[in-house]
Amino acid sequence: MNLHEYQGKEILNSFGVEIQRGIVAITPEEAVEAAKKLTEETGTGWHVIKAQVHAGGRGKGGGVKLAKNIQEVKDIAGEIIGMNLVTPQTSAEGKKVHQVLVAEDVYYPGDSEPEEYYMSVLLNRSTGKNMIMYSTEGGMDIETVAEETPHLIFHEEVDPAVGLMPFQARRVAFNLGLSGQAFKQMTKFVTALYKAYVNSDSSLFEINPVLKTSDDKIIAVDAKVTIDDNALFRHKDYAAMRDVREENATEVEAKAVGLSYVDLDGNVGCMVNGAGLAMATMDLIKQAGGEPANFLDVGGTADAERVETAFNLILKDPNVKAILVNIFGGIVRCDRVAQGIVDAYKNIGTIDIPIIVRLQGTNADIAKELIDNSGLDVQSAVQFQEAADKVQEVLS
Amino acid sequence: MSVLVNKDSKIIVQGFTGSEGTFHAGQMIEYGTNVVGGVTPGKGGQTHLDKPVFNTVSEAVEKVGADTSILFVPPAFAADAIMEAADAGIKVIIAITEGIPVGDMIKASHYIKDRDCRLIGPNCPGVITPGEAKVGIMPGFVFKKGKVGVVSKSGTLTYEAADQVVKQGLGITTAIGIGGDPIIGTTTKEAVELLINDPETEAVVMIGEIGGQLEAEAARWYKESGSKKPVVGFIAGETAPAGRTMGHAGAIVGGSDDTAQAKKKILNECGIHVVDSPAEIGKKVAEVIG
């Protein structure tokens, strides 16, 4: 589950990670109130108005702006709230901004120059351990840094038995070229950050930039936080942070009924039991000359109700020209799935695009007969290749 | 011969009396698998499906000599159950449970690392040696005894592959579902290695998907090993978009090196017979086995 910047910072701060402070606002008036309150609390003169959407590169799309007085806070907030923010990570239509974070200005002048760093915490899948990845090149796209100056990216892998050790926190601060007060602050920052990562059951922290201020504080200026969905059962407070407006509506609906669905751009919808077989079916659609319109795993209990919901989800997409159902009946019997398809079809009424059903495994023959004798405009297949050929046929 | 499980395996079911455990243990027993009992904390002393229930895994090891365990424990308690099995001296631990928090699996996989056991899964369909032992949730009838080993991250795609192989008149030695999570106990390479070293296995089917480096690692090992046993490979997810999780928690393209295309290229370079179409797995096996 992805979080907004302000939510991620809240979690970080609750574990002692120093952050750029801010207050979230949903109207320009609220933004003004937030700015005044922030000035009272932090003494900041200027404010940064930041669009809160689940996408990176917000600054590039005009979603992050500096306000030098209260009037500017109001104007900029008015401009950003409600806009469709287009960034390199969004679609061409962009993402609607529902709220802004009014944040303190942290790039104030002082004894030293402010410096930006990059830091993320994530799982290293090949070792099964968490690692801290960090770089002196903050504020930049990390993929670009990895490509152009890979020697400026460092890693610190954490032993699960003992956690992040003090020497590792010191190594991070040394590698970032820090000394004195800033060095001390960085070791504290990294230690708190790792503690936050583990205790919040996150699967990704990306803090870009981490800032050394002109008075040698180390703070998180941005926060991309992804929480492990499988661990939300023990974090009810985080689960409540889910903002479904940021997610694909069809995917949210699918999830609510226990279907695993991913929206894609193609013209052939598919409904499959099992994630691996679903991906393989998508690949087969492509090889048959189509493009998959979705990933959809109906899971182990493909009964009439689930099949009907799945059909309705797929049919929402006007680009879908055909639907391929691919079920390998194991514990779930094919004839029951076939009955589910027939019932769902009748409940929906007319489906005016061709449907190809491939059922294999337990009672596949009975299932084929059931489909073939249903009188519905549904083509059946038993072999995987047969199904692909039929997709090709209906597309041409 | 076969690997991991056979007719002599002494199998216990953790999460025995729950609905999943009850259903699948029943299916396993019906298949002829040597289930010697089960574990449900607090229900020790009872009898379930005509088998004894124990409070702890170590009790099951002591009283009925269990050496293999299959887990149907809910996600919140599954990592603990894996560690309990390892601590009790179980040699093969097969974790079916889907949805275990990654943080829990980091701890569990670290805990079992230096113990004399092998973890299969989690989030896997289990392991089957046809005619001897079904330690999983797969439909047993699909798998007929034979000479082809199968390694796969996915459930139904494993059944699909096995079905195609069987319909070619060939059969299966052992099929290993290694699981689709980011952290799994037995890697593709380790499973392929087990099968390559099994004298009865004449060819191996290796089914992977987008995300991670497991298939590439297995392919490189295969090339190094100089083995003459043919391996047929398929990677699912050529059409999956980057950055999106495709059902399995581990099935996500993170960079340019874990796409289906990149993996297929490495497999090809390492002498694995890669099929582009999932409908051609069986045919390809028949072709390479001659």
Side-chain angles (χ1 to χ4, degrees):
Chain A
M1 182 184 76
N2 292 326
L3 295 178
H4 286 296
E5 173 194 356
Y6 79 92
Q7 296 167 324
K9 281 176 165 173
E10 243 170 58
I11 294 177
L12 257 51
N13 198 232
S14 71
F15 290 98
V17 179
E18 293 296 329
I19 56 164
Q20 172 199 38
R21 288 162 294 183
I23 299 168
V24 77
I26 56 170
T27 64
E29 293 69 34
E30 269 189 38
V32 167
E33 286 313 304
K36 285 180 181 161
K37 192 159 174 234
L38 214 52
T39 301
E40 245 169 62
E41 285 172 4
T42 69
T44 187
W46 295 351
H47 296 89
V48 190
I49 316 297
K50 306 166 104 174
Q52 298 298 290
V53 291
H54 290 182
R58 290 169 298 161
K60 286 176 192 137
V64 179
K65 285 185 173 164
L66 182 66
K68 295 187 175 173
N69 56 49
I70 290 297
Q71 187 57 45
E72 282 187 18
V73 168
K74 193 172 180 181
D75 294 347
I76 293 170
E79 203 179 290
I80 294 179
I81 295 170
M83 82 187 284
N84 275 324
L85 182 62
V86 180
T87 85
Q89 290 183 18
T90 67
S91 64
E93 302 98 71
K95 280 201 141 168
K96 180 138 176 132
V97 182
H98 298 283
Q99 49 195 353
V100 291
L101 179 64
V102 180
E104 62 176 327
D105 168 38
V106 284
Y107 291 81
Y108 47 82
D111 293 339
S112 66
E113 279 297 306
E115 295 278 354
E116 292 185 328
Y117 312 109
Y118 171 93
M119 196 171 289
S120 59
V121 190
L122 69 165
L123 171 71
N124 180 350
R125 283 176 67 167
S126 55
T127 60
K129 293 174 185 171
N130 291 323
M131 65 176 178
I132 297 171
M133 186 162 96
Y134 58 105
S135 172
T136 49
E137 307 304 285
M140 286 174 63
D141 182 27
I142 196 67
E143 280 80 27
T144 314
V145 180
E147 222 164 84
E148 289 167 7
T149 50
H151 60 286
L152 296 177
I153 296 181
F154 306 94
H155 300 91
E156 208 59 64
E157 201 163 270
V158 184
D159 185 322
V162 294
L164 184 77
M165 294 277 86
F167 76 87
Q168 293 183 293
R170 290 198 298 274
R171 193 152 59 196
V172 171
F174 279 125
N175 281 337
L176 292 175
L178 295 167
S179 59
Q181 182 64 16
F183 178 93
K184 229 169 108 183
Q185 291 303 318
M186 181 57 86
T187 59
K188 270 193 196 165
F189 182 90
V190 177
T191 308
L193 191 72
Y194 188 74
K195 186 175 145 204
Y197 180 83
V198 171
N199 288 309
S200 64
D201 272 304
S202 286
S203 51
L204 175 70
F205 272 7
E206 191 174 36
I207 317 297
N208 191 17
V210 172
L211 181 75
K212 181 196 78 69
T213 61
S214 62
D215 52 355
D216 286 346
K217 288 182 191 139
I218 304 292
I219 60 172
V221 177
D222 195 1
K224 181 178 177 193
V225 170
T226 306
I227 309 274
D228 179 0
D229 283 310
N230 290 337
L232 283 175
F233 68 85
R234 55 186 171 217
H235 301 285
K236 299 276 186 274
D237 47 340
Y238 301 163
M241 290 179 173
R242 167 160 266 148
D243 186 349
V244 292
R245 294 174 300 187
E246 294 294 322
E247 298 171 21
N248 178 294
T250 312
E251 290 176 18
V252 171
E253 199 183 320
K255 201 180 172 129
V257 293
L259 297 170
S260 176
Y261 177 93
V262 178
D263 204 22
L264 300 169
D265 292 332
N267 56 2
V268 180
C270 56
M271 184 194 309
V272 189
N273 66 333
L277 191 61
M279 280 186 270
T281 304
M282 287 161 53
D283 296 347
L284 202 74
I285 288 172
K286 172 140 184 150
Q287 283 158 17
E291 284 288 338
N294 64 278
F295 165 95
L296 174 55
D297 176 6
V298 287
T301 48
D303 54 28
E305 203 184 333
R306 280 169 87 86
V307 172
E308 188 178 336
T309 313
F311 268 133
N312 281 323
L313 289 171
I314 296 171
L315 289 167
K316 277 187 180 183
D317 183 346
N319 296 325
V320 171
K321 300 280 176 283
I323 298 177
L324 171 58
V325 180
N326 187 12
I327 305 286
F328 199 105
I331 303 305
V332 43
R333 282 163 31 205
C334 286
D335 53 326
R336 289 185 61 176
V337 180
Q339 191 59 51
I341 291 167
V342 172
D343 292 348
Y345 197 104
K346 286 183 176 157
N347 284 342
I348 294 169
T350 22
I351 298 177
D352 52 7
I353 54 171
I355 297 179
I356 298 138
V357 178
R358 184 262 179 160
L359 294 158
Q360 177 62 281
T362 317
N363 292 356
D365 296 339
I366 305 173
K368 184 169 163 41
E369 224 176 275
L370 216 150
I371 298 266
D372 291 345
N373 297 333
S374 68
L376 300 174
D377 185 18
V378 178
Q379 305 190 47
S380 63
V382 172
Q383 296 308 321
F384 211 169
Q385 188 55 49
E386 218 181 319
D389 294 343
K390 291 210 157 133
V391 169
Q392 196 158 18
E393 239 170 71
V394 302
L395 286 178
S396 60
Chain B
M1 273 284 289
S2 55
V3 300
L4 297 168
V5 298
N6 58 38
K7 61 182 190 328
D8 300 321
S9 301
K10 288 187 173 149
I11 298 151
I12 51 159
V13 180
Q14 286 177 263
F16 191 33
T17 56
S19 63
E20 291 280 302
T22 301
F23 177 75
H24 289 292
Q27 298 269 317
M28 284 162 53
I29 293 167
E30 200 176 300
Y31 187 83
T33 310
N34 185 25
V35 175
V36 296
V39 175
T40 298
K43 295 199 173 170
Q46 298 180 7
T47 301
H48 185 63
L49 305 176
D50 294 331
K51 310 283 177 193
V53 183
F54 302 99
N55 279 323
T56 64
V57 179
S58 47
E59 208 185 329
V61 170
E62 204 179 293
K63 302 240 171 89
V64 290
D67 56 17
T68 303
S69 169
I70 180 165
L71 270 80
F72 294 100
V73 176
F77 315 105
D80 182 56
I82 291 169
M83 293 188 273
E84 183 187 353
D87 181 68
I90 294 286
K91 297 289 179 266
V92 178
I93 305 164
I94 298 172
I96 305 299
T97 312
E98 177 177 2
I100 304 176
V102 173
D104 293 6
M105 274 314 298
I106 292 176
K107 283 189 203 128
S109 71
H110 186 77
Y111 182 88
I112 65 171
K113 201 179 55 182
D114 297 324
R115 286 174 165 79
D116 179 24
C117 66
R118 173 175 290 288
L119 171 67
I120 308 283
N123 190 11
C124 79
V127 180
I128 184 168
T129 296
E132 298 196 30
K134 168 175 119 88
V135 193
I137 58 173
M138 62 287 279
F141 74 93
V142 173
F143 299 80
K144 301 276 187 290
K145 198 164 185 59
K147 50 191 179 181
V148 180
V150 179
V151 175
S152 170
K153 277 181 177 172
S154 141
T156 43
L157 195 49
T158 310
Y159 317 158
E160 175 72 48
D163 185 55
Q164 288 182 26
V165 168
V166 167
K167 289 207 167 112
Q168 289 290 334
L170 300 162
I172 308 295
T173 45
T174 300
I176 310 168
I178 59 168
D181 270 4
I183 294 185
I184 50 176
T186 295
T187 62
T188 312
K189 178 232 149 194
E190 289 166 334
V192 169
E193 186 175 358
L194 286 171
L195 290 167
I196 293 276
N197 291 335
D198 170 40
E200 242 176 57
T201 301
E202 290 178 22
V204 176
V205 175
M206 171 176 134
I207 297 168
E209 60 194 29
I210 52 165
Q213 300 300 324
L214 294 186
E215 296 85 358
E217 186 195 73
R220 292 196 184 99
W221 172 85
Y222 173 71
K223 191 182 175 187
E224 281 289 282
S225 78
S227 169
K228 294 283 177 283
K229 275 186 198 176
V231 176
V232 171
F234 173 71
I235 306 288
E238 201 179 282
T239 48
R244 301 296 311 270
T245 304
M246 307 303 279
H248 289 151
I252 177 168
V253 170
S256 56
D257 58 349
D258 62 355
T259 62
Q261 287 83 348
K263 290 188 186 195
K264 284 184 192 173
K265 185 162 174 277
I266 294 170
L267 263 56
N268 260 320
E269 286 165 3
C270 292
I272 290 173
H273 303 274
V274 178
V275 290
D276 282 319
S277 164
E280 278 165 11
I281 297 169
K283 229 192 289 174
K284 187 55 116 183
V285 174
E287 190 188 307
V288 299
I289 225 168

